[in-house]
Amino acid sequence: MKETKKVIGRAAILFFVMMILCGLIYTLVVTGVSQLFFRDKANGSIIEVNGVKYGSELLGQQFKDPKHLWGRIVLPDVSTYTDEEGNTLMYGLASNKTPAGEEYAEAVQERVAMIQEANPDATMDSIPVELVTASGSGLDPDISPAAAEYQVPRLAKENGMTEDEVRDVIRKYTKGKFLGILGEETVNVLKVNLALEGILKD
């Protein structure tokens, strides 16, 4: 009986020690380190200029006007979740449509027509695929340099810039491959648009 009580006592002590170490101390240390050395990333990589928050560089926004760079198709949902006060909450999602289905093919064709109509002066022969398809998250913030290049003539015309000036902006917010070899180059759509507006200058 005494041995059983000792075992239970030791187990209880171990439980509380591990709870404090893993549940409290570890959490505080990790949070403190992230806030000290990676504050921007830890807080959502929010783009803030002169006290105004324009969004996260990690989440795509939908741009449809001709003066802005267009990103991947954004699929927000505002009909599923609400907060405690009944206000709708937005989140991104994939369409879950099969590429072999007619509905998917029709959606892509509609997007192709939309992109072609918006970019009549595009010099590229084909539309980069990410301009007419959504990502798995439905909120992808980046496009390829090719997808950005496809829109250069329109952006130059609509913003009163030369095509080379637009390319300089795009190049400034193009992220290279990880370690120079992994992944693909990507262009952050929100950053480019803020720069085109003259908001983001660094």
Side-chain angles (χ1 to χ4, degrees):
M1 187 68 178
K2 290 183 179 180
E3 289 298 324
T4 302
K5 289 183 178 180
K6 285 183 180 180
V7 171
I8 294 175
R10 290 172 183 172
I13 293 172
L14 179 61
F15 171 79
F16 285 108
V17 168
M18 295 305 294
M19 184 176 65
I20 292 172
L21 285 175
C22 300
L24 181 61
I25 296 177
Y26 173 79
T27 303
L28 292 175
V29 169
V30 171
T31 301
V33 170
S34 64
Q35 288 295 323
L36 185 61
F37 296 104
F38 311 102
R39 184 177 182 83
D40 178 60
K41 290 180 173 59
N43 292 325
S45 298
I46 302 297
I47 299 176
E48 183 174 347
V49 181
N50 297 326
V52 179
K53 296 179 180 179
Y54 292 94
S56 170
E57 64 180 88
L58 303 177
L59 292 175
Q61 296 185 27
Q62 194 164 35
F63 294 94
K64 291 184 176 180
D65 59 296
K67 287 189 174 184
H68 287 117
L69 181 69
W70 293 7
R72 297 197 72 169
I73 300 298
V74 174
L75 298 174
D77 181 284
V78 293
S79 62
T80 304
Y81 297 109
T82 58
D83 61 17
E84 295 178 353
E85 298 177 356
N87 299 313
T88 57
L89 300 176
M90 186 185 80
Y91 76 102
L93 73 167
S95 66
N96 289 329
K97 295 177 181 177
T98 172
E102 292 184 5
E103 189 177 0
Y104 181 85
E106 290 174 0
V108 170
Q109 286 303 315
E110 289 177 3
R111 294 167 186 169
V112 167
M114 177 182 67
I115 295 295
Q116 289 176 331
E117 182 180 359
N119 298 274
D121 301 319
T123 57
M124 297 173 64
D125 294 332
S126 59
I127 300 174
V129 67
E130 69 263 34
L131 291 180
V132 295
T133 59
S135 66
S137 69
L139 291 172
D140 197 321
D142 304 313
I143 57 176
S144 68
E149 175 63 28
Y150 185 88
Q151 304 176 67
V152 165
R154 167 174 56 83
L155 293 172
K157 180 179 179 180
E158 294 291 338
N159 288 284
M161 302 168 67
T162 67
E163 291 188 8
D164 285 340
E165 287 174 334
V166 173
R167 289 189 181 97
D168 286 340
V169 173
I170 292 171
R171 194 176 300 113
K172 189 173 184 179
Y173 298 105
T174 297
K175 185 177 180 180
K177 298 179 180 181
F178 182 66
L179 299 178
I181 56 172
L182 300 176
E184 300 293 336
E185 291 186 335
T186 57
V187 179
N188 189 275
V189 175
L190 178 57
K191 285 185 175 181
V192 169
N193 286 333
L194 291 177
L196 290 174
E197 292 183 18
I199 296 171
L200 199 61
K201 299 178 181 180
D202 57 359

